[in-house]
Every structure is written in C-alpha cells, then in structure tokens.
Amino acid sequence: MPVKEQAQQQFELGLQTHIPESNVGYKMLLKMGYQKGESLGTSENGLVEPIQVAIKANKSGLGTEDEVATKRKRTDAEALQIDQEQTHARNSFRSKMNEQFDLKRIESDLKKARMSVMTMDERAKVPYHAYWPVQKETCVELKDEEFDRVLTDPDQPNLCDVETPESIFDGLDIHERLRLVNEYLRTQYYYCLWCGSVYADYDDLIAQCPGDTFQCHENE
C-alpha cells in the first residue's frame, strides 16, 4: 500500500480512537470528577465528543471551498433558468406554429365547403347563396345623371356601402363562417365535408358520421 494511503488510514484511525486512560490529561480529568461519556463544564452542557477535523487536501486558501460552492449553486440556478426560458420559447413556438397550421386548415376547409355549397345549390337550381365563394356585384349601375345626383345629394345612401348578406357573412369570424356553411351542408344536403359523403337523410348522417367538426374525424 502506498505510504500516502497508509498515513491517511492511520490518521483516520487516530481520529476514531478515544484518549486512553493512561493519558496524563485524562487522569487529571478523572481526579477532578470527570466520568467517561459525560460532557465537560460545570453545567455539563459542553461537547461529549471532540470537534471533528476537516482535512484540507488542496492548496487553495481558507474559505475558497465556500466561494466555489456558492458559484456552483449560482451557475446551476442560472443554467436552470436558461433551460426553463428555452423550454418556454420552444413551447411558445410550437403553439404558434400549431395555431398557424390550424388556421390554414380552417381556411382550406371553408373554401372547400363554400365550393360544395355552390355545386349542390346549382344542382338544386338555387339561384344564389351568400355562402358561395363567388359573390354577386352589390353596386347598382346608375346612369350618368343619376350618379351625379347621388354624389351631390347628402341624403342619398352610398349604394356600394349597403349591408348585404355577403358582407355580413364575410364579417364573421372564420370559425363561425365554417360552422354555418358546414351546418348548411349537413342539414340541407346531408353532406359531410370531412367524410366527403352524401347520406340518405339527416338521421343516416347522424348515425354514420363521426361528428360535425374536423377533430371528430381525425382518428377515423
């Protein structure tokens, strides 16, 4: 065994060994009334065991271990904070990308639904519906003299600004527009946009179609 390890073992053994009764100092304590296992002091509230020795094996100055430990804790805390911030940023990015993806899907579904409404309405000889993707001209063509009169008369409404079913529909939230068009297809033609099927009747649609939203069809 290397000399250094032998010295270390002897040192640790010495720390664990009590003072022998043959020790002069120990004999003096016994003469003064000390009993083995008792604490020192007149009030007997002193230490029973000697103060443990902390071996300093490096050449750094006293107190440097505390500074290193403090720096390590601070570094760990900073690393944890950075990791949390990065995790939050990644989650926010994923959430934003998912929202953008969902919006594009809804826009695509709405476009398909409006095309389906127009196709089925035309087959049913429906002249026009506000849900169609192609909207009719809402401005009224006027003769020159009538146009001048409208422009100069403050009491005349602007015929191009008249509220129409199309403008009302287009002013709705995209989710609401998709809901309305989808409801029209399902109740009027028993057609499911996501199944891509026309059912025999509404009861047949309810019985066989998973639901009236895209999410209902995701796992089908």
Side-chain angles (χ1 to χ4, degrees):
M1 180 182 295
V3 176
K4 187 175 182 180
E5 291 185 8
Q6 290 180 358
Q8 180 67 25
Q9 287 184 357
Q10 291 177 358
F11 178 78
E12 292 177 356
L13 181 62
L15 293 176
Q16 297 172 4
T17 304
H18 292 281
I19 298 175
E21 295 182 0
S22 60
N23 183 275
V24 176
Y26 188 77
K27 290 179 180 180
M28 292 177 62
L29 288 173
L30 291 176
K31 289 180 180 180
M32 289 186 288
Y34 172 75
Q35 298 294 327
K36 186 176 181 180
E38 293 180 352
S39 60
L40 300 177
T42 55
S43 58
E44 297 185 354
N45 60 354
L47 297 176
V48 176
E49 297 292 335
I51 297 175
Q52 296 295 319
V53 177
I55 303 174
K56 190 174 185 305
N58 55 43
K59 296 181 180 180
S60 60
L62 294 175
T64 54
E65 288 83 358
D66 295 336
E67 293 180 4
V68 171
T70 302
K71 289 181 180 179
R72 185 179 296 112
K73 289 181 180 179
R74 184 168 61 247
T75 303
D76 292 343
E78 292 173 351
L80 178 61
Q81 182 179 358
I82 293 174
D83 183 65
Q84 291 175 344
E85 291 175 353
Q86 290 177 344
T87 301
H88 177 71
R90 286 193 296 267
N91 292 338
S92 298
F93 177 76
R94 292 194 190 101
S95 177
K96 184 177 181 180
M97 294 302 295
N98 288 336
E99 289 177 1
Q100 292 179 355
F101 177 79
D102 289 341
L103 181 60
K104 289 182 179 179
R105 177 186 54 76
I106 292 172
E107 290 174 347
S108 176
D109 287 346
L110 179 59
K111 183 178 179 180
K112 293 176 183 177
R114 297 184 74 172
M115 287 295 297
S116 299
V117 168
M118 185 173 68
T119 300
M120 294 182 178
D121 277 351
E122 288 177 343
R123 290 176 183 171
K125 307 300 182 182
V126 176
Y128 180 72
H129 199 288
Y131 294 167
W132 288 14
V134 180
Q135 297 183 359
K136 286 187 174 181
E137 182 63 49
T138 57
C139 292
V140 179
E141 292 186 3
L142 303 175
K143 295 180 180 179
D144 291 341
E145 60 273 12
E146 293 176 334
F147 187 75
D148 292 338
R149 178 175 55 80
V150 169
L151 291 179
T152 56
D153 188 350
D155 296 329
Q156 290 290 336
N158 188 341
L159 297 181
C160 290
D161 292 338
V162 175
E163 196 172 58
T164 64
E166 294 88 349
S167 63
I168 295 174
F169 176 76
D170 288 337
L172 297 175
D173 176 75
I174 189 170
H175 298 83
E176 180 65 10
R177 280 182 281 161
L178 179 59
R179 186 192 68 79
L180 290 172
V181 176
N182 184 46
E183 182 180 4
Y184 179 81
L185 288 170
R186 293 172 70 87
T187 57
Q188 192 72 21
Y189 298 110
Y190 319 127
Y191 175 75
C192 174
L193 175 66
W194 297 285
C195 292
S197 302
V198 176
Y199 293 90
D201 51 36
Y202 189 73
D203 291 336
D204 185 38
L205 182 147
I206 295 299
Q208 298 193 51
C209 176
D212 59 355
T213 64
F214 168 80
Q215 287 75 15
C216 296
H217 296 75
E218 276 189 298
N219 298 324
E220 294 298 320

